[in-house]
Amino acid sequence: MDEADRATADPIALDRRRSELRDRLIALRTELAGLTADYRALPRAGVLLDTPGIGALTTPGYCIAGAVEILEETAIELAAADDALGRAGVYTGRLRPVPL
């Protein structure tokens, strides 16, 4: 087993990488929440208004609602990823390298 294989087989190193990834994921979730809130605020800012009639399905309000829906779905998926990384940590924390 070469040095690279030992590094990837070390449960402590793997757990450190998992923890760092989870920290970045938490930061990403925070940024996503802020972005979603900003999208939700657009109609209240009076900048974009729906227009009735032809093309109503492509109005700014419709587009904003669609974007917010997708961002909310993304938040759900990121929460699931965060949960999965947490559960992986429970199992990885039980592993210890075998001294050879």
Side-chain angles (χ1 to χ4, degrees), residues 13-47:
L14 288 174
D15 194 51
R16 183 175 45 253
R17 287 176 49 204
R18 181 206 55 81
S19 179
E20 290 168 357
L21 179 59
R22 192 170 189 201
D23 290 342
R24 292 195 320 257
L25 179 60
I26 290 168
L28 181 60
R29 289 179 67 194
T30 301
E31 289 180 47
L32 180 65
L35 181 63
T36 303
D38 290 344
Y39 266 90
R40 280 195 187 108
L42 279 175
R44 292 188 304 275
V47 176

Side-chain angles (χ1 to χ4, degrees), residues 11-12 15 87-97:
I12 295 171
D15 194 51
R87 286 184 284 125
V90 169
Y91 294 109
T92 308
R94 295 176 182 168
L95 301 172
R96 297 290 172 250

Side-chain angles (χ1 to χ4, degrees), residues 38-70:
D38 290 344
Y39 266 90
R40 280 195 187 108
L42 279 175
R44 292 188 304 275
V47 176
L48 303 172
L49 302 173
D50 280 343
T51 54
I54 297 174
L57 294 180
T58 57
T59 63
Y62 179 82
C63 293
I64 291 168
V68 168
E69 182 180 345
I70 297 302

